[in-house]
Amino acid sequence: MGPTARSRWTRPALRNRGSPDPQVLSRRTHRRGARTAAACGLGLAVLASCAPRLDPDAPWSASEFALLRSLSPVAAPAPNAGNRFADDPAAAALGQALFFDKGLSANGQVACATCHQPARRFTDGLRHARGVGEAPANAPTLLGAHSVPFLFRDGRKDSLWSQALGPLEAEPEHGFDRMAAAHHVAARHRQAYEATFGPLPPLQDSTRFPAHARPVPLDRGHPHDRAWQAMAHVDRAAVDRVFAHIGKAIEAYERKLVPGPAPFDRYVAAVLRADPAAATLLPTAARRGLRHFIGAAQCVTCHNGPWFTDGAFHNLGLPRAAHAPSGIDVGRSLGAQRVKEDAFRCGGLHSDTKDCPELRFLNPRFADFLGAFKTPSLRNVETTAPYMHTGQFATLAEVLAFYQSLPGTAEVGHRELTLSLVAQDIDPVEIIAFLHTLTSPLPDARWLHP
Amino acid sequence: MNAAARLRIGALAAVGCGMVACYKDGSQKVAPAMAPPQALRVDSPALAPSGAPVAPAAAGEVREVGGPGERGTFRFVLRFTAPKVNELFAVETVVTDAATHAPVPGAKFSLDATMPEHGHGMMTQPEHRELAPGRWRTEGMKLHMHGKWIVEAKAEAGGRTDIVRVPWDQPPAVAGPVQP
C-alpha cells in the first residue's frame, strides 16, 4: 500500500492533481453532499450507510444479506457446451503441458506461464506484459476467467478455448503460427493429443503442410499468409481443427484453476449460519470496508457476483497511462464487432454448440461500448498489481484515489453515469483492507507447474 | 401479504394457470401455457397502468406488467421472470384490441428497454417471434445495469399503431441465492 493512503486526512487524489480547478472542486463537493444526504437521510433500499458512523457489526438487512450470499463462495466452472473436452481430465493434462510449453513460441522462450505466472496468481507484475515483444496491455489473472461470457479487455473472444488461440499468434506474445503449433504438437505431444482428439493430419507431408502458415488478414503479403493461402482448403481446415483442439485442451486446464476460500468467504459462511464469531474472522477495517463496498461506495454495482465482476464493459474515463501505446483504444465497440466475426467463435465451425445466446443477441452498435473495458474480478487483487488494462495504477491506493476524485474526462466516449464519485469521507484504507480479504490460497499445487 | 405476493396471485388468477410452472420451463410448453385472450380482461392487480411506477421485483419472481397503449388502441400484457442485472431473459407479450379484447395477429411488433436518465438502451438486440395470434416471445433482453428502465412494447397492425411504456426498476447487483 502506498504511503499516500495511510491517513484519511491526506487526500492523495487531490494532492496528485496538482492545483485543482476550483470549479471542478465545488461541483464535486456539491455532488458528494447530495449523495451523502440521500443515502443517510432517506435510508433507501440501496443499502444506505453513513460512512462516519458506520458500525462494522450492525445487523445485516435482508437485502444486504442477499447481497452477501451472492458474493460467496465461488462455484466450480459452469459447463461449457462449446467445448466438449472442457471437463475431460486427459485434455486438462495436455492443456497443462501446453500452458507451460515454451516450444509454442517464435523464439522458444515464451509460454502462457511467462505472463500468467502461477505464483503471482497468473499475472506477471508488469504494466505491459512481455513476450516475444511488448504487449499493449496488462496481463490479467486467469482465476475466474471462466466465469465471464467475453474474454479480454474488449471482449473480443467468447470462450477460453478460442481466447487461447489469440496470444499464440499475436506477434508481441508467442509470435507463433497455427501451422508451427500443429507441428510442435505432433513432435512433442502426439500421444496425448491423439488419445483425446484422434489422429493428427499427415503433417510430415511438407508439400501440403509448410513449416509456418497462418492467415494474416491485415498483411496479405506476409510470408505466413502467403503460405496459408497456398494450402488446400481441406488442409487449412485440418490445421484449424488441431489449433482449436489446442485451445480446448488449454481451457480444460484453466478450468482447474479454482482458488481455495478467502477470508471473506469464511466470514460470509459464518454470517450465514449466524455464527457470533463471524466478526473475529475479518479485521475491523475490512468489515467496515465491506460495508462501504456494498453500500455507499457502490463498488458492487459493477464488481458483483462471486467473482466480483459483472462480466460487462464500462467506460470509467481512466487517465491515459504515460507509457500507453499511441492511438486511441475504443475498447468494447471494436471488441463486440470482432467477436461476432471471429473464426473460432461460439457456433462457428469448430465450436461444439450452436446455442450461443450471448453472441446472438449482442448488439455491436451499442453506443456506450465506446471506450468501455471489461470489469475485472477483484478476487486476489491484492496480489495482481499493477492495475487497470494498461497498468495505469501501481497500487490499490491509487485505484481508490481515482474512484474518489474521478479526474479529467474520458479519452474517447464518455465516463459512464453509473460511476458516481466515492465520497471523501469514506476511508479508502478500509476498502483496501476489505479487498485484501479476497486473497485466496493458490489453486491445488498439482496445477501450478508443467 | 406483501406486494410481490399479491402480484403473483393476481397474475395466476388472471390466466388460471400456474404461471411459474408455465414459464419457468421455457417455450416447450407454449400451448398449454397460452391464456385465452379474454382472460386478460380481468384487471389483475399485477397490471400497472402505463407510466405508473412498478415496484422492484426480486430476481426470479414472475411479473406481469403493461396495460392499454398510449393511444388506447391496443392493450399489451408483458410477462417475464424478473431478471438479474446483466442476465439474458425472455418476455412474452400479448397484444389485444383495447376495445374488443380480440388478439391482434400478424402485427409488426417490437420490444425494447431504455434508460432515459442515462440516454442508452440495451447492449443486446432482441428477437421477436409470434407464438400464436397476438402472442409474442422476445428473447435476448438484458438489463445490464440497475436503475430505472422503461420497457417499451410497440405494435403496428391494420394501419393502427400503439405503444406502451412500462417503468421497470431493476434492483442493484444480484440478490437472491446463488448456491443451491
Side-chain angles (χ1 to χ4, degrees):
Chain A
M1 184 186 309
T4 41
R6 289 259 151 74
S7 153
R8 37 187 311 202
W9 306 114
T10 316
R11 287 292 160 232
L14 297 181
R15 285 265 202 87
N16 289 352
R17 296 179 73 243
S19 54
D21 171 355
Q23 246 186 323
V24 174
L25 258 184
S26 69
R27 193 182 67 229
R28 212 188 300 134
T29 316
H30 174 79
R31 277 180 64 189
R32 186 204 318 158
R35 258 209 34 231
T36 311
C40 299
L42 301 175
L44 283 171
V46 200
L47 321 166
S49 59
C50 306
R53 292 187 304 275
L54 190 126
D55 169 5
D57 300 308
W60 296 102
S61 73
S63 58
E64 286 169 328
F65 203 75
L67 210 41
L68 284 182
R69 291 186 62 169
S70 75
L71 295 172
S72 173
V74 300
N80 175 12
N83 174 5
R84 62 196 174 87
F85 305 98
D87 296 307
D88 180 323
L94 172 61
Q96 182 171 11
L98 297 173
F99 188 87
F100 292 93
D101 187 344
K102 294 182 177 167
L104 286 170
S105 66
N107 62 5
Q109 307 282 309
V110 179
C112 307
T114 305
C115 304
H116 302 290
Q117 300 166 18
R120 292 178 186 266
R121 297 218 173 37
F122 299 89
T123 63
D124 60 5
L126 303 173
R127 288 189 302 193
H128 283 186
R130 288 201 67 82
V132 171
E134 187 176 278
N138 178 254
T141 181
L142 305 188
L143 299 172
H146 62 80
S147 72
V148 294
F150 296 103
L151 282 307
F152 283 131
R153 66 187 190 275
D154 57 359
R156 64 187 180 273
K157 287 288 193 174
D158 67 350
S159 69
L160 280 175
W161 70 264
S162 171
Q163 185 286 328
L165 308 180
L168 289 173
E169 290 195 329
E171 275 162 22
E173 301 187 24
H174 296 243
F176 218 36
D177 59 273
R178 61 192 70 178
M179 188 67 255
H183 287 305
H184 181 79
V185 164
R188 296 296 167 83
H189 306 281
R190 177 181 290 273
Q191 222 182 354
Y193 179 96
E194 294 192 331
T196 302
F197 300 113
L200 282 157
L203 299 170
Q204 61 286 357
D205 182 346
S206 61
T207 60
R208 288 170 59 191
F209 299 100
H212 295 280
R214 69 183 162 115
V216 192
L218 296 178
D219 181 6
R220 288 301 182 195
H222 194 289
H224 286 177
D225 192 84
R226 288 211 304 272
W228 182 252
Q229 302 306 335
M231 288 170 65
H233 183 77
V234 284
D235 292 343
R236 292 202 299 238
V239 172
D240 275 349
R241 202 172 130 79
V242 175
F243 199 40
H245 284 155
I246 290 174
K248 289 178 182 180
I250 291 176
E251 173 172 8
Y253 164 65
E254 289 171 319
R255 288 164 64 86
K256 301 292 183 194
L257 304 176
V258 179
F264 171 68
D265 298 309
R266 281 194 288 274
Y267 172 76
V268 173
V271 169
L272 293 184
R273 58 171 193 265
D275 183 341
T280 64
L281 295 172
L282 296 185
T284 306
R287 296 199 312 281
R288 291 170 58 91
L290 165 61
R291 286 173 194 262
H292 299 315
F293 189 92
I294 67 170
Q298 298 184 34
C299 310
V300 79
T301 306
C302 301
H303 296 284
N304 55 42
W307 288 97
F308 289 78
T309 168
D310 59 3
F313 300 82
H314 304 277
N315 187 335
L316 302 188
L318 284 167
R320 187 182 179 83
H323 52 280
S326 60
I328 297 271
D329 190 343
V330 297
R332 183 56 174 158
S333 52
L334 187 57
Q337 282 169 36
R338 289 179 65 182
V339 69
K340 284 228 170 198
E341 292 155 11
D342 194 282
F344 296 101
R345 68 182 180 274
C346 182
L349 202 58
H350 300 282
S351 167
D352 296 322
T353 183
K354 297 282 170 226
D355 182 23
C356 310
E358 289 288 350
L359 201 57
R360 176 171 151 208
F361 298 116
L362 172 65
N363 175 10
R365 287 173 301 282
F366 179 67
D368 285 1
F369 279 164
L370 188 59
F373 296 95
K374 194 173 72 185
T375 312
S377 169
L378 295 184
R379 283 193 177 262
N380 302 297
V381 72
E382 174 189 16
T383 65
T384 61
Y387 303 109
M388 306 300 177
H389 70 275
T390 48
Q392 280 95 325
F393 301 128
T395 61
L396 289 173
E398 286 180 27
V399 174
L400 266 295
F402 167 78
Y403 283 117
Q404 290 192 299
S405 61
L406 297 182
T409 52
E411 202 178 5
V412 52
H414 62 84
R415 178 177 287 142
E416 194 172 296
L417 292 164
T418 352
L419 185 67
S420 42
L421 193 70
V422 175
Q424 295 288 325
D425 55 15
I426 290 180
D427 187 349
V429 172
E430 293 175 345
I431 296 187
I432 293 169
F434 162 64
L435 293 176
H436 287 182
T437 71
L438 300 176
T439 304
S440 307
L442 285 166
D444 194 304
R446 75 192 141 127
W447 304 113
L448 305 182
H449 50 75
Chain B
M1 180 171 16
N2 67 22
R6 214 164 41 235
L7 289 169
R8 199 158 37 223
I9 289 170
L12 297 182
V15 294
C17 125
M19 201 56 57
V20 178
C22 290
Y23 286 87
K24 274 253 166 103
D25 57 359
S27 53
Q28 278 79 358
K29 283 201 193 161
V30 162
M34 246 190 326
Q38 59 271 33
L40 291 167
R41 263 188 291 167
V42 179
D43 259 338
S44 114
L47 295 187
S50 188
V54 172
E61 202 174 275
V62 175
R63 294 297 297 265
E64 185 173 65
V65 297
E70 288 175 5
R71 301 193 177 173
T73 310
F74 301 140
R75 184 178 167 78
F76 300 82
V77 176
L78 285 63
R79 281 198 208 98
F80 53 96
T81 302
K84 291 185 188 171
V85 170
N86 214 29
E87 192 177 73
L88 286 166
F89 68 104
V91 177
E92 295 208 7
T93 309
V94 174
V95 185
T96 49
D97 187 298
T100 67
H101 305 291
V104 177
K108 197 175 149 210
F109 174 80
S110 70
L111 187 71
D112 198 3
T114 58
M115 289 191 102
E117 288 174 15
H118 293 188
H120 65 65
M122 290 187 295
M123 303 196 296
T124 56
Q125 37 196 8
E127 293 172 8
H128 321 285
R129 198 156 47 95
E130 194 169 13
L131 301 176
R135 181 184 200 89
W136 292 84
R137 182 172 171 89
T138 302
E139 283 178 83
M141 302 281 290
K142 194 194 244 192
L143 309 181
H144 61 278
M145 259 181 219
H146 78 266
K148 294 192 175 74
W149 289 83
I150 302 284
V151 181
E152 210 173 87
K154 215 185 217 164
E156 192 183 321
R160 301 188 301 164
T161 76
D162 206 350
I163 183 169
V164 72
R165 291 190 177 87
V166 184
W168 178 259
D169 198 355
Q170 179 62 33
V174 275
V178 285
Q179 299 296 315

